[in-house]
Amino acid sequence: MELGMIGLGRMGANMSERLLAGGHRVVAYDRNPEPVQRLVHKEAVGADSLDVLVKQLEVRRAVWLMVPAGDPVDQTIEALRPLLARGDLIVDGGNSYYKDTLRRAADLEADGLHLVDVGTSGGVWGLTEGYSLMVGGSEEAVEHLRPVFQTLAPTADHGWGHVGPSGAGHFVKMVHNGIEYGLMQAYAEGFALMKHKEEFELNLHQIAEIWRFGSVVRSWLLDLTARVLADDQTLGDIAPYVADSGEGRWTVFEAIDLDVPAPVAALSLIQRLRSRDSESYADRLLAAMRNQFGGHVVGREG
């Protein structure tokens, strides 16, 4: 099968490579020509514009977007619309908000175009290990793209699935990331607790390796944690700043909208936000309040 790939960041480029290795024809485009040329060297077909990309695809065209969520997705879709024909497919493999996906799918349907939303997990390891793909869209459109999903997934029958209509793929990926936040926070807190038990002189890498086999807390995240701790248990070169892609926030918002308690996801998100407060005004005020009501000592900077 052939596919147009728009957006050749690390994941988009890796997905293209996996498709090429699986025998698919890939027509690649990015605003930056360098990653296009790198894929051309791996036997992809290069395009220097969306118009050229579409013209190099045979009918029925399928174009996969790996661009940042929000306006970039809308802008790319609007640029593609006049170039595509009824029955063509647009795949959004990025981390779009599912309500945006619902709007886009309904809008494109008026032109006879199909939007397939694919929540994609796998990160930098997807090229070799395969991607977890949560697919939303019409039954017919998803079935047409089955060979692509089977190539990108860890195996043809595992790691991917059609989870529901348009929007469902991005919704499931949103919840997936909310769970991920909680898992990461739990590991981080547990290892921090062990690090502070200094009298035991615990080897955190050793403990991570023990837990990786047979333990009920074993996971791929723990495998990655063990890799990190093998290099430097102090993590001295890593800034204590944790970014978020937005999907954790959306998960918490959705929990509130549906009246579903999700305290772990919510607290994990708050902890990420807290990591960005280098001034920690709230902590300064807490210390000042303790001094006011109890005469507790206040530390002074400088």
Side-chain angles (χ1 to χ4, degrees):
M1 184 174 178
E2 67 173 15
L3 189 76
M5 180 67 74
I6 299 174
L8 301 177
R10 192 167 188 177
M11 184 174 283
N14 284 351
M15 294 175 79
S16 297
E17 283 194 42
R18 190 170 175 91
L19 289 169
L20 289 166
H24 298 275
R25 180 176 182 264
V26 175
V27 182
Y29 168 74
D30 192 276
R31 293 169 63 181
N32 179 358
E34 291 183 11
V36 176
Q37 289 306 310
R38 286 197 295 270
L39 277 179
V40 167
H41 291 315
K42 298 179 183 294
E43 300 188 350
V45 178
D48 59 7
S49 69
L50 295 181
D51 182 59
V52 171
L53 178 140
V54 171
K55 287 180 177 178
Q56 293 187 91
L57 294 172
E58 296 181 0
V59 178
R60 175 186 197 186
R61 305 175 190 88
V63 182
W64 189 301
L65 312 185
M66 289 300 291
V67 300
D71 288 342
V73 176
D74 285 317
Q75 292 168 8
T76 305
I77 288 176
E78 287 309 303
L80 282 170
R81 287 179 77 153
L83 306 175
L84 299 175
R86 297 184 69 85
D88 288 346
L89 303 104
I90 296 176
V91 182
D92 182 1
N95 286 332
S96 290
Y97 186 31
Y98 83 95
K99 291 185 178 179
D100 289 338
T101 301
L102 290 172
R103 167 179 55 80
R104 292 166 184 148
D107 193 32
L108 288 169
E109 187 177 10
D111 290 346
L113 299 173
H114 300 273
L115 180 63
V116 177
D117 52 297
V118 182
T120 306
S121 182
V124 299
W125 298 92
L127 175 59
T128 55
E129 303 296 326
Y131 297 90
S132 174
L133 306 172
M134 298 143 262
V135 185
S138 71
E139 192 75 42
E140 186 274 333
V142 173
E143 189 60 31
H144 180 76
L145 293 165
R146 173 181 287 270
V148 172
F149 301 139
Q150 291 179 323
T151 299
L152 290 174
T155 72
D157 299 322
H158 293 90
W160 80 276
H162 182 197
V163 299
S166 294
H170 282 151
F171 179 83
V172 173
K173 178 56 162 52
M174 177 191 76
V175 176
H176 165 284
N177 279 27
I179 294 170
E180 178 186 294
Y181 278 36
L183 291 172
M184 293 174 69
Q185 187 66 30
Y187 281 128
E189 291 177 7
F191 280 96
L193 182 60
M194 291 187 289
K195 182 179 185 300
H196 282 79
K197 194 65 174 177
E198 295 179 354
E199 63 263 38
F200 284 163
E201 298 182 350
L202 299 173
N203 184 323
L204 301 186
H205 175 246
Q206 177 200 32
I207 294 166
E209 289 293 343
I210 293 171
W211 288 356
R212 287 181 60 216
F213 301 94
S215 167
V216 295
V217 300
R218 66 187 183 272
S219 72
W220 186 49
L221 275 174
L222 183 60
D223 295 343
L224 299 178
T225 301
R227 288 172 59 93
V228 170
L229 295 173
D231 295 333
D232 177 13
Q233 292 192 35
T234 69
L235 307 181
D237 293 335
I238 299 177
Y241 178 103
V242 187
D244 73 284
S245 64
E247 292 194 306
R249 301 181 186 214
W250 300 336
T251 302
V252 174
F253 297 159
E254 195 68 23
I256 294 170
D257 286 344
L258 296 175
D259 291 330
V260 174
V264 172
L267 184 56
S268 298
L269 173 63
I270 295 302
Q271 287 296 99
R272 292 198 178 196
L273 299 179
R274 191 181 190 285
S275 76
R276 302 168 201 180
D277 187 3
S278 60
E279 291 299 318
S280 192
Y281 180 82
D283 287 347
R284 294 172 189 264
L285 187 56
L286 283 171
M289 283 189 284
R290 291 184 75 246
N291 174 260
Q292 287 295 312
F293 70 71
H296 301 286
V297 175
V298 177
R300 303 292 180 182
E301 291 187 344

